[in-house]
């Protein structure tokens, strides 16, 4: 009678389902009533929570785990029935006028097509990962994407969505278009994510426009019988379940019904630390609309051996109905490829020096209609799980440390296939790497090691920042500016990581999100290599800029600013390496440098109106 009703029920469930006695260490040998009663209550409440948070309850979780752990111990290859081949998909290049073979659309056309669908999208940002590899104890969303604007990842994503809203309003003539954003957090990231939003007034998003769903951790398992791992006598150890939780959470929390009622058509999934990917959203959406894709993954050319999944066509050896296009995770690709074809594994194609398989940036555009149908099916959005125990020895019975079931959001094609059969229309769209992919995932130390080992994609905060600048160099060059684009050979090492010597350019989503806009807003001009430039403001048009130093141009909404011949020469900004062993904050040490803003010309216009700025930088109000 010391236990609550739900605690008692959860305990009874566990005992009744424990046919093989794998959980006796949890419920037997309890001390007498009166001793440790609080512990007993705490444990049974936790069992009840674990029951409630997993579809089918804890007993379903444990019986799935037993099956998967047995397969793992037996060394069962999950791909025995399949043969991987290189899939065909769409391919778009920012500065190529050549249309894609399948859709017949160029990049520009795909982007324009995407614009027709932006009013009806919803965004989902998976941000439950702690970023242990990055060596950062804060949330990854709070990391500054670059030191020129100091804007963090979350702000970049929000500003992008706001810029989309603005475009949608211009396109449709409708007012107050609001695109929803759901952030999936975990126990590790939830309080800090909420705090970040609160401290920044939701970055200007309306009350209720951002929703947070928090994924629960799952029970950790100590052995091949799926025995629960105990942190102490009265606490089950728990571990993260992976980003695959996002699907069932969106379903369970009612977002799917709500979005359907609102007439939305696509759901766009983003990861936490890849600021480049926002460029690819519109053209990918355009391809999804054109090809009526139920799922469309944003891809990049993959480096062999890289820690990015590969999109593959898995051909079922006997039943073509079961063949599908899906991500094969990086740790599974090499063993799979070693069992087929030339058996060489995850190696580069000698012709290109790259993996022949498209790299999965894991940002996905999903069609809501097929998604809703799939989520309402038998599995309710619980994607196929896997288990990856690290065994103590060859006997494959004991683990080095507790394991758990995991799941990945990119595994949803299996559910699409189950619910929609061969009707499931799944594809991918490939972009240039410079345009789409440079996540911050690794610590500076491991990045330096990777560079020493010959990697050109160390995946550090500093390489992510540098790649952002290089991308914007290319965009301004494409718009006709005289500007040097940093090539691989031009990179300079700062803090042990090769980065661009400059110019450092940030084009904020609030200036432009499409190629068409940039081309319309930028004309002529030149920027020297040591320069830094920030452009922010929908109404800015910039002609014949001559920049040798640092310039920040910002204009609030409803400001039209015409700039012609503006000439800026000053000391600018320089990167300064942090001396080894210096006592600096974590957010600084993960980069290995700071930015000294020695002299910066800053033009900020806040009052609505029309303005002109000429050679001397004087702001003249015209209307
Ligand atoms: N995440 C969660 O929200 N919850 C979790 O429980 C775990 C993660 P990682 P990884 O693009 O480079 C993915 O850890 O292992 C969020 C793809 O699987 O960064 O690098 C987390 O916050 C892989 O195919 O993933 O692998 C983050 O936003 C490849 O494409 C996201 O999920 C690779 O990314 C990814 O988490 C890549």
């Amino acid at each position: 009678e010391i236990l609550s009703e739900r605690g008692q029920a959860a305990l009874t469930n566990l005992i009744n389902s424990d046919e093989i006695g794998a959980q006796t260490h949890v419920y037997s040998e309890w001390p007498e009533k009166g001793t440790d009663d609080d512990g007993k209550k705490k444990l049974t409440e936790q069992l009840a929570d674990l029951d409630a948070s997993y579809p089918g309850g804890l007993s379903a979780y444990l019986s799935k785990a037993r099956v998967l752990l047995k397969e793992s111990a037996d060394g069962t290859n999950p791909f025995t029935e399949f043969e991987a081949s290189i899939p065909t998909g769409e391919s778009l290049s920012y500065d190529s006028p050549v249309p894609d073979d399948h859709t017949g659309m160029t990049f520009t056309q795909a982007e324009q097509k995407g614009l027709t669908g932006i009013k009806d999208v919803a965004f989902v940002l998976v941000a439950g990962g702690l970023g242990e590899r990055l060596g950062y104890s804060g949330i990854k969303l709070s990391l500054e994407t670059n030191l020129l604007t100091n804007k963090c990842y979350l702000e970049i994503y929000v500003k992008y969505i706001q810029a989309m809203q603005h475009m949608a309003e211009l396109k449709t003539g409708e007012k107050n278009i609001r695109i929803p954003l759901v952030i999936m957090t975990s126990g590790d990231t939830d309080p800090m994510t909420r705090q970040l939003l609160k401290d920044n007034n939701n970055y200007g998003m309306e009350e209720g426009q951002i929703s947070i769903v928090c994924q629960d951790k799952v029970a950790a398992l100590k052995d091949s019988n799926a025995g629960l791992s105990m942190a102490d006598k009265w606490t089950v150890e728990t571990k993260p379940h992976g980003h695959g939780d996002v699907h069932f959470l969106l379903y369970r929390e009612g977002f799917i019904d709500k979005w359907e009622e609102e007439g939305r058509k696509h759901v766009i999934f983003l990861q936490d630390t890849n600021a480049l990917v926002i460029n690819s959203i519109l053209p990918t959406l355009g391809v999804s609309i054109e090809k009526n894709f139920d799922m469309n993954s944003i891809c990049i050319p993959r480096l062999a051996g890289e820690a990015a999944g590969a999109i593959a066509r898995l051909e079922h050896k006997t039943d073509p109905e079961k063949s599908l296009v899906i991500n094969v995770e990086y740790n599974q690709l090499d063993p799979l490829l070693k069992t087929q074809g030339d058996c060489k594994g995850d190696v580069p194609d000698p012709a290109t020096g790259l993996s022949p398989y498209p790299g999965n940036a894991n940002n996905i555009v999903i069609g809501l209609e097929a998604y809703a149908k799939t989520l309402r099916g038998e599995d309710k959005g619980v994607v196929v799980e896997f288990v990856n125990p690290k065994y103590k020895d060859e006997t494959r019975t004991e683990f080095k440390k507790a394991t758990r079931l995991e799941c990945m959001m990119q595994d949803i094609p299996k559910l699409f296939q189950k619910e929609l059969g061969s009707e499931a229309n799944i594809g991918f769209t490939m972009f240039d790497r410079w345009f789409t992919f440079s996540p911050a995932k690794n610590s500076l130390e491991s990045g330096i090691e990777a560079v020493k080992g010959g990697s050109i994609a160390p995946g550090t905060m500093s390489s992510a920042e540098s790649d952002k600048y290089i991308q914007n160099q290319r965009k301004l060059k494409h718009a006709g500016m005289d500007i040097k684009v940093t090539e691989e050979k031009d990179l300079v090492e700062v803090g042990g990581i090769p980065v661009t010597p400059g110019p450092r350019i940030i084009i904020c989503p609030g200036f432009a999100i499409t190629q068409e806009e940039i081309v319309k807003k930028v004309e002529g001009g030149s920027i020297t290599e040591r320069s830094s430039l920030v452009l922010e403001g929908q109404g800015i048009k910039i002609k014949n800029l001559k920049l040798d130093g640092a310039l920040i141009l910002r204009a609030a909404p409803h400001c039209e600013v015409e700039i012609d011949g503006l000439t800026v020469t000053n000391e600018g900004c320089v990167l300064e390496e942090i001396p080894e062993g210096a006592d600096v904050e974590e957010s600084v040490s993960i980069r290995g440098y700071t930015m000294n803003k020695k002299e910066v010309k800053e033009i900020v216009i806040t009052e609505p109106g029309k303005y002109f700025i000429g050679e001397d930088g004087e702001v003249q109000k015209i209307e």
Side-chain angles (χ1 to χ4, degrees):
E1 60 271 24
I2 55 161
L3 304 181
S4 71
E5 208 173 303
R6 70 192 283 273
Q8 180 66 59
L11 182 64
T12 311
N13 269 344
L14 183 74
I15 297 171
N16 289 346
S17 62
D18 186 23
E19 286 158 17
I20 57 166
Q23 317 300 348
T24 47
H25 63 291
V26 182
Y27 55 77
S28 64
E29 292 172 30
W30 279 20
E32 277 170 24
K33 192 174 161 199
T35 310
D36 259 354
D37 286 352
D38 285 347
K40 292 169 202 160
K41 259 191 255 175
K42 187 175 145 226
L43 172 64
T44 49
E45 288 306 312
Q46 192 197 5
L47 291 176
D49 289 345
L50 289 169
D51 248 349
S53 63
Y54 191 83
L58 183 59
S59 55
Y61 174 79
L62 293 172
S63 71
K64 273 193 201 174
R66 263 193 301 278
V67 174
L68 289 169
L69 284 165
K70 172 146 189 357
E71 285 175 6
S72 166
D74 294 347
T76 310
N77 172 2
F79 298 106
T80 31
E81 295 177 318
F82 294 94
E83 175 130 4
S85 63
I86 300 153
T88 52
E90 326 303 319
S91 181
L92 296 167
S93 188
Y94 184 77
D95 33 22
S96 166
V98 182
D100 166 62
D101 291 346
H102 302 97
T103 55
M105 291 194 293
T106 61
F107 173 89
T108 322
Q109 287 164 337
E111 202 173 52
Q112 291 300 313
K113 185 97 195 176
L115 282 177
T116 64
I118 48 176
K119 188 171 85 61
D120 301 323
V121 300
F123 277 88
V124 178
L125 173 55
V126 289
L130 199 50
E132 282 151 324
R133 273 185 285 162
L134 193 55
Y136 182 61
S137 49
I139 49 166
K140 291 192 278 174
L141 285 179
S142 70
L143 282 167
E144 293 169 329
T145 55
N146 72 88
L147 296 184
L148 262 184
T149 65
N150 305 93
K151 286 186 180 166
C152 70
Y153 282 100
L154 183 54
E155 180 166 8
I156 297 291
Y157 297 136
V158 170
K159 293 290 164 202
Y160 178 77
I161 295 169
Q162 288 165 337
M164 256 194 166
Q165 288 171 177
H166 178 75
M167 285 294 274
E169 287 170 4
L170 287 181
K171 277 253 153 207
T172 60
E174 283 176 42
K175 291 223 159 61
N176 298 323
I177 291 181
R178 296 290 172 259
I179 298 174
L181 167 66
V182 176
I183 306 177
M184 182 176 79
T185 58
S186 65
D188 294 328
T189 62
D190 191 76
M192 284 188 274
T193 308
R194 289 177 194 273
Q195 194 62 45
L196 184 63
L197 284 168
K198 193 167 165 220
D199 291 346
N200 294 284
N201 293 322
N202 294 329
Y203 296 104
M205 279 220 173
E206 266 177 15
E207 197 59 44
Q209 202 181 344
I210 302 181
S211 314
I212 294 183
V213 292
C214 184
Q215 62 176 148
D216 289 306
K217 290 187 179 177
V218 288
L221 309 165
K222 69 179 176 65
D223 55 35
S224 286
N225 287 327
L228 290 170
S229 170
M230 303 302 286
D232 58 53
K233 180 145 181 66
W234 305 116
T235 318
V236 178
E237 187 185 356
T238 57
K239 293 201 169 198
H241 190 219
H243 37 69
D245 278 346
V246 72
H247 304 297
F248 100 84
L249 282 176
L250 288 177
Y251 176 69
R252 192 184 75 184
E253 300 302 313
F255 288 100
I256 304 303
D257 295 341
K258 183 165 180 276
W259 292 339
E260 270 191 329
E261 275 163 31
E262 290 168 358
R264 302 196 180 276
K265 304 270 186 303
H266 291 94
V267 187
I268 301 170
F269 292 83
L270 301 175
Q271 298 216 14
D272 52 14
T273 58
N274 181 17
L276 301 197
V277 83
I278 53 177
N279 292 302
S280 304
I281 291 170
L282 279 173
T284 307
L285 181 62
V287 169
S288 280
I289 295 170
E290 181 70 21
K291 302 248 340 182
N292 208 9
F293 275 145
D294 298 329
M295 171 167 172
N296 190 2
S297 300
I298 296 180
C299 285
I300 35 96
R302 181 174 179 275
L303 308 172
E306 179 174 18
I311 302 290
R313 179 163 176 81
L314 293 182
E315 212 70 63
H316 196 273
K317 288 178 185 160
T318 52
D319 182 358
E321 287 281 297
K322 288 190 180 149
S323 301
L324 78 173
V325 173
I326 195 166
N327 174 77
V328 177
E329 201 56 352
Y330 45 91
N331 56 337
Q332 293 185 316
L333 186 69
D334 187 64
L336 167 65
L337 296 180
K338 278 191 170 138
T339 63
Q340 63 169 69
D342 59 13
C343 298
K344 283 191 179 151
D346 182 12
V347 293
D349 172 353
T352 60
L354 295 163
S355 162
Y357 289 88
N360 173 27
N362 222 22
N363 290 261
I364 306 169
V365 175
I366 290 186
L368 184 60
E369 195 185 336
Y371 191 45
K373 209 166 160 191
T374 300
L375 297 187
R376 290 190 185 113
E378 190 189 332
D379 298 289
K380 307 286 175 234
V382 179
V383 292
V384 177
E385 292 154 303
F386 62 96
V387 69
N388 190 14
K390 307 284 179 289
Y391 293 105
K392 264 194 188 152
D393 55 37
E394 311 292 75
T395 60
R396 293 174 84 82
T397 43
E398 281 182 68
F399 308 152
K400 281 187 187 154
K401 56 180 183 177
T403 190
R404 81 291 196 177
L405 295 193
E406 294 178 70
C407 58
M408 299 189 298
M409 67 188 220
Q410 64 269 39
D411 274 340
I412 188 89
K414 291 175 193 158
L415 294 190
F416 275 126
Q417 194 184 48
K418 188 167 167 187
E419 297 301 329
L420 311 176
S422 55
E423 308 238 301
N425 190 6
I426 292 168
F428 66 91
T429 307
M430 183 98 156
F431 296 91
D432 292 318
R433 245 186 122 89
W434 67 263
F435 186 69
T436 296
F437 191 64
S438 185
K441 295 214 182 202
N442 301 323
S443 67
L444 186 58
E445 294 68 32
S446 60
I448 293 171
E449 280 308 305
V451 168
K452 282 186 188 151
S455 168
I456 55 161
T460 59
M461 199 51 255
S462 44
S463 61
E465 174 170 6
S466 171
D467 287 340
K468 185 84 192 159
Y469 297 140
I470 295 174
Q471 172 190 87
N472 289 322
Q473 294 168 4
R474 285 183 183 262
K475 286 185 177 177
L476 291 188
K477 173 121 194 150
H478 176 264
M481 265 203 183
D482 178 8
I483 189 170
K484 185 166 186 268
V485 170
T486 308
E487 302 294 342
E488 211 184 306
K489 63 175 172 35
D490 307 319
L491 295 169
V492 291
E493 242 177 54
V494 181
I497 299 293
V499 299
T500 174
R504 299 186 187 91
I505 298 163
I506 295 294
I507 299 176
C508 297
F511 174 73
I513 56 169
T514 67
Q515 187 186 67
E516 188 191 36
E517 278 180 288
I518 297 178
V519 171
K520 267 193 195 152
K521 291 178 180 180
V522 176
E523 197 184 320
S526 61
I527 301 179
T528 61
E529 194 173 77
R530 66 177 199 90
S531 295
S532 303
L533 172 68
V534 174
L535 292 172
E536 184 172 25
Q538 280 294 339
I540 295 177
K541 278 196 180 147
I542 185 161
K543 206 168 154 187
N544 299 325
L545 168 72
K546 281 194 190 62
L547 177 60
D548 183 27
L551 169 67
I552 296 179
L553 276 171
R554 284 204 170 101
H558 311 296
C559 296
E560 274 181 44
V561 187
E562 202 185 316
I563 300 163
D564 195 348
L566 173 63
T567 304
V568 175
T569 309
N570 59 31
E571 285 196 67
C573 306
V574 287
L575 297 188
E576 290 176 352
E577 281 190 356
I578 297 160
E580 240 184 88
D583 184 18
V584 291
E585 279 177 31
E586 223 178 29
S587 60
V588 175
S589 61
I590 57 163
R591 265 193 170 80
Y593 55 79
T594 52
M595 182 180 279
N596 183 350
K597 294 176 179 165
K598 287 181 150 183
E599 198 186 347
V600 180
K601 167 101 182 155
E602 212 167 327
I603 302 177
V604 181
I605 302 173
T606 50
E607 204 186 307
K610 277 194 178 175
Y611 297 85
F612 177 81
I613 300 170
E615 187 180 342
D616 57 4
E618 191 97 352
V619 180
Q620 299 162 40
K621 189 156 194 230
I622 306 168
E623 270 174 40

